[in-house]
Amino acid sequence: MSSKRHILTAVAWPYANGPRHIGHVSGFGVPSDVFARFQRMSGNNVLMVSGTDEHGTPIQVLADQEGVSARELADRYNRIIAEDLVALGLSYDLFTRTTTANHYAVVQELFTGLHRNGYIFSKTTKGAISPSTGRTLPDRYVEGTCPICGYDGARGDQCDNCGKQLDPTDLINPRSKINGETPEFVDTEHFMLDLPAFAEQLSEWLKSKGGEWRPNVLKFSLNLLDELQPRAITRDLDWGVPIPLEGWRDQPNKRLYVWFDAVIGYLSASIEWAKRTGDPEAWRKWWQNSDAESFYFMGKDNIVFHSEIWPAMLLGYSGKGSKGGEPGSLGALNLPTEVVSSEFLTMEGRKFSSSRRVVIYVRDFLERYDADALRYYIIAAGPETQDTDFTWAEFVRRNNDELVATWGNLVNRSISMAAKNIGHIPEAGELTDADRAVLDASKAAFATVGERLNRAQFKAALQEAMRVVAEANKYFSEQAPWKLKKTDPKRMETVLHVALQLVSDAKTLLTPFLPASSNKVYEMLGGTGTWTGMPRLEEATDSIGGEEGVSTYPVITGDYADNEARWESIPIVPGTPLKPPTPLFRKLDQSVVDEELARLEAAAGS
């Protein structure tokens, strides 16, 4: 394999029916950014893409309730979500949206290719209608008892308890999630994706991933293979991508189903990114090179779309299902290398729920606490391989004990002592065995932490990086440079040089997790230029949407290649001027726990 890999970091698309809470970003946002930043530091060519998912009934329903158009609602939350993700430091090459002319064109091209190859067929099915409004109820808006496992809160498309794919007509005692009424089921014609036509190819592909994927993801995906059924990809709705076929294109109430268009967003965002860079074909390096890799990040409720349905769509468009066929005009497309799914984050023992106000929105959190403190908690205590509970007591403990008292303290005491007593990075004299041992261990951590990050084992990687910090603190305390000031100033300078090298190494090891504070440490050590790139919002225009047919919307992008960060121990330069440091993290008072719990109870009770 060449040293420079092409790595697509495909991040789940947040749904634009409201601001995102910290449970959402613990599943898709922070893990994907840690991965992308590490891969860039390793010299690889990373393309990290996503955007807001803006079609479907939930947005239409909410817009009706608020007396605005679906477009206005999507515009509002697209901007809020983009601003929040920038504040969290997520380094998207492009974060866009699904209501662009480019996205519509790519979605319609995928549909056309699948249809031409025989993987899409029309079928008359029973659709759920609300008796009081006459409107179609999408599958997810019909709830009832699962006929397979008896779970009462099963949705019309899937039972979250047993994971089986369902139709609304399968449910026992179906009811509308919107108003609780019993839906009527009427005949309606829809297009279906022929998932069983990919069973053999999907099985072969999934079985080849043994030992590479997280075991829970692979097991869940393989279990679903026996249940594959044709799945509807159109809906009776006027808010979505038009169906690109004669006799269907102009039907006002038939649109492609939101899930079908959303997964295509990874490809359409890559194509949009390429156009923005001035090289419209650049996306192909990540989608068609045989040695390109793609990693898809999401919460576990999205596994089925990424390990079964999206791969089936890619196979069908490329002409590789059981019916054969030819690739469409975009050419054959790569399957995912890995589906990196996180489990769920709960909140003080309760499931996150915006409707029940058991929630902490990203924006509210970042108004009161540092982004890096949240990023640290999500990786250190988050739901990487099992459901995890967010508690304010644990957040405050980790912030104070680990970020402030361990890492922040090391930075502060080593730089402040060198700045105060010497004014610059000192020269190292002759090294002792203790000096060499701690420096060697620090250098060796790049391979250990890097291996973990390459395998998306973020929690273990962070633990290893923090072990280096703990060892550096131990070294500093044992060598006691403050005692050497009068007895052996040359030895004091050597100890401080070693300590500052350890700080520099730890800052590099922690950069994927804590980019904003790592930039501060780089500056404290006298670094010039940008250490690691941070995202920014840019305004973009599009030819659809808005009152005059043109819309303006924010995209997230950034200059992530033009910086100093690289994944190795970089020798510090003696003589570099040092100033007294400012605190790296804020210590939180224990009263924060009671304040936040009171705020949560007040919101849940209102």
Side-chain angles (χ1 to χ4, degrees):
M1 188 183 287
S2 66
S3 57
K4 276 207 165 201
R5 295 150 63 197
H6 279 84
I7 295 176
L8 176 71
T9 305
V11 191
W13 289 56
Y15 196 58
N17 65 335
R20 297 298 87 185
H21 57 62
I22 65 166
H24 292 130
V25 296
S26 70
F28 72 82
V30 175
S32 62
D33 187 59
V34 170
F35 184 76
R37 286 181 179 278
F38 162 70
Q39 295 295 353
R40 290 191 192 104
M41 288 173 75
S42 302
N44 295 321
N45 296 306
V46 172
L47 178 58
M48 177 169 162
V49 293
S50 187
T52 42
D53 174 8
E54 299 182 6
H55 293 124
T57 302
I59 284 174
Q60 186 71 67
V61 169
L62 188 59
D64 289 347
Q65 287 170 359
E66 294 192 13
V68 297
S69 69
R71 178 80 203 198
E72 286 173 300
L73 191 85
D75 283 347
R76 183 201 310 163
Y77 288 122
N78 161 253
R79 188 167 292 277
I80 287 172
I81 291 167
E83 287 171 357
D84 288 353
L85 300 182
V86 165
L88 203 48
L90 305 187
S91 59
Y92 293 99
D93 291 283
L94 182 67
F95 181 91
T96 178
R97 64 194 304 187
T98 56
T99 50
T100 65
N102 169 74
H103 180 71
Y104 277 41
V106 175
V107 169
Q108 290 176 331
E109 167 58 26
L110 265 283
F111 177 94
T112 303
L114 284 161
H115 187 261
R116 188 173 54 243
N117 284 339
Y119 297 107
I120 289 175
F121 60 91
S122 67
K123 181 183 176 185
T124 299
T125 62
K126 293 286 185 187
I129 301 285
S130 162
S132 61
T133 65
R135 268 208 164 146
T136 302
L137 283 168
D139 295 354
R140 284 195 163 214
Y141 272 69
V142 182
E143 279 188 339
T145 302
C146 175
I148 298 160
C149 72
Y151 176 64
D152 185 43
R155 298 193 311 260
D157 61 345
Q158 185 178 316
C159 174
D160 283 341
N161 188 54
C162 67
K164 297 293 189 284
Q165 190 180 324
L166 299 171
D167 281 315
T169 50
D170 297 333
L171 295 174
I172 301 161
N173 298 323
R175 58 192 177 272
S176 163
K177 259 181 83 172
I178 298 170
N179 57 18
E181 66 188 1
T182 303
E184 290 176 4
F185 290 98
V186 298
D187 285 345
T188 180
E189 189 177 4
H190 282 297
F191 283 103
M192 315 288 287
L193 177 65
D194 189 1
L195 285 174
F198 304 101
E200 193 179 320
Q201 290 78 9
L202 287 173
S203 174
E204 193 177 309
W205 171 67
L206 285 168
K207 284 172 181 170
S208 75
K209 300 297 180 183
E212 294 175 27
W213 287 22
R214 290 179 179 175
N216 51 330
V217 179
L218 189 59
K219 186 180 175 191
F220 180 79
S221 303
L222 285 166
N223 285 346
L224 290 174
L225 282 175
D226 296 336
E227 310 295 329
L228 287 182
Q229 301 165 18
R231 191 154 185 159
I233 59 169
T234 55
R235 269 294 165 264
D236 295 314
L237 191 64
D238 60 0
W239 175 239
V241 180
I243 300 162
L245 290 176
E246 280 308 312
W248 292 82
R249 192 178 280 108
D250 301 323
Q251 284 197 41
N253 289 317
K254 290 279 186 189
R255 292 290 183 270
L256 291 173
Y257 207 165
V258 61
W259 68 256
F260 180 84
D261 95 78
V263 289
I264 297 172
Y266 302 115
L267 176 60
S268 70
S270 303
I271 291 171
E272 182 183 342
W273 167 83
K275 288 175 183 170
R276 290 180 178 283
T277 64
D279 180 2
E281 303 301 309
W283 64 273
R284 296 184 188 277
K285 294 171 190 168
W286 285 270
W287 285 89
Q288 294 179 322
N289 283 1
S290 59
D291 57 354
E293 300 162 67
S294 53
F295 296 81
Y296 289 74
F297 289 83
M298 83 257 359
K300 68 177 175 183
D301 52 339
N302 257 325
I303 293 174
V304 65
F305 293 103
H306 295 85
S307 68
E308 310 271 356
I309 295 170
W310 179 226
M313 291 162 64
L314 291 166
L315 285 164
Y317 182 81
S318 304
K320 293 177 181 172
S322 63
K323 299 176 183 179
E326 294 295 322
S329 62
L330 294 173
L333 302 165
N334 291 348
L335 292 179
T337 303
E338 184 170 355
V339 173
V340 186
S341 163
S342 298
E343 301 292 298
F344 289 146
L345 187 71
T346 53
M347 169 79 201
E348 295 288 353
R350 288 176 281 186
K351 192 174 177 182
F352 274 98
S353 168
S354 298
S355 60
R356 288 192 285 276
R357 298 176 187 261
V358 180
V359 72
I360 321 168
Y361 292 116
V362 172
R363 175 157 304 203
D364 295 340
F365 196 103
L366 297 183
E367 279 174 0
R368 300 195 284 276
Y369 311 104
D370 294 339
D372 276 2
L374 176 56
R375 291 173 64 108
Y376 183 85
Y377 184 95
I378 284 171
I379 298 300
E384 186 173 300
T385 55
Q386 62 186 49
D387 291 354
T388 311
D389 193 39
F390 176 94
T391 69
W392 283 107
E394 181 69 353
F395 172 71
V396 169
R397 185 193 72 75
R398 285 189 180 270
N399 180 82
N400 291 352
D401 294 358
E402 296 170 19
L403 288 180
V404 177
T406 305
W407 173 222
N409 183 44
L410 174 68
V411 170
N412 188 62
R413 62 182 183 156
S414 53
I415 296 178
S416 61
M417 188 169 179
K420 187 175 164 187
N421 291 286
I422 304 158
H424 56 77
I425 293 177
E427 289 272 2
E430 193 172 334
L431 297 180
T432 65
D433 288 348
D435 299 337
R436 278 191 288 271
V438 76
L439 287 169
D440 288 348
S442 184
K443 273 187 188 169
F446 284 90
T448 320
V449 177
E451 185 188 353
R452 296 267 188 267
L453 288 172
N454 240 334
R455 295 179 62 83
Q457 295 169 347
F458 305 117
K459 193 175 292 193
L462 181 55
Q463 283 170 350
E464 193 65 28
M466 288 301 285
R467 200 172 61 75
V468 170
V469 173
E471 287 299 315
N473 266 315
K474 183 165 171 268
Y475 167 84
F476 198 86
S477 297
E478 287 175 352
Q479 299 300 321
W482 54 91
K483 291 181 182 174
L484 299 166
K485 192 173 168 182
K486 288 183 180 171
T487 60
D488 193 348
K490 277 287 172 203
R491 175 63 191 155
M492 177 192 79
E493 291 194 10
T494 299
V495 170
L496 287 174
H497 179 95
V498 171
L500 293 176
Q501 183 64 59
L502 297 174
V503 167
S504 179
D505 286 355
K507 166 262 302 168
T508 305
L509 291 166
L510 289 167
T511 294
F513 309 99
L514 308 172
S517 52
S518 296
N519 277 336
K520 286 183 193 169
V521 177
Y522 176 71
E523 287 171 23
M524 288 179 197
L525 288 169
T528 56
T530 303
W531 170 246
T532 187
M534 298 300 280
R536 64 174 184 269
L537 281 184
E538 287 183 0
E539 293 300 316
T541 54
D542 190 62
S543 60
I544 60 170
E547 288 178 17
E548 292 166 16
V550 175
S551 62
T552 303
Y553 65 103
V555 295
I556 304 175
T557 187
D559 305 312
Y560 311 117
D562 186 21
N563 60 56
E564 302 299 319
R566 55 190 195 274
W567 193 255
E568 61 185 352
S569 174
I570 301 168
I572 54 174
V573 180
T576 304
L578 295 175
K579 294 179 195 157
T582 51
L584 196 55
F585 302 102
R586 289 179 296 151
K587 186 172 183 182
L588 300 175
D589 194 271
Q590 285 300 320
S591 62
V592 161
V593 178
D594 293 335
E595 284 167 23
E596 291 293 353
L597 288 173
R599 190 180 272 125
L600 184 67
E601 290 306 323
S606 64

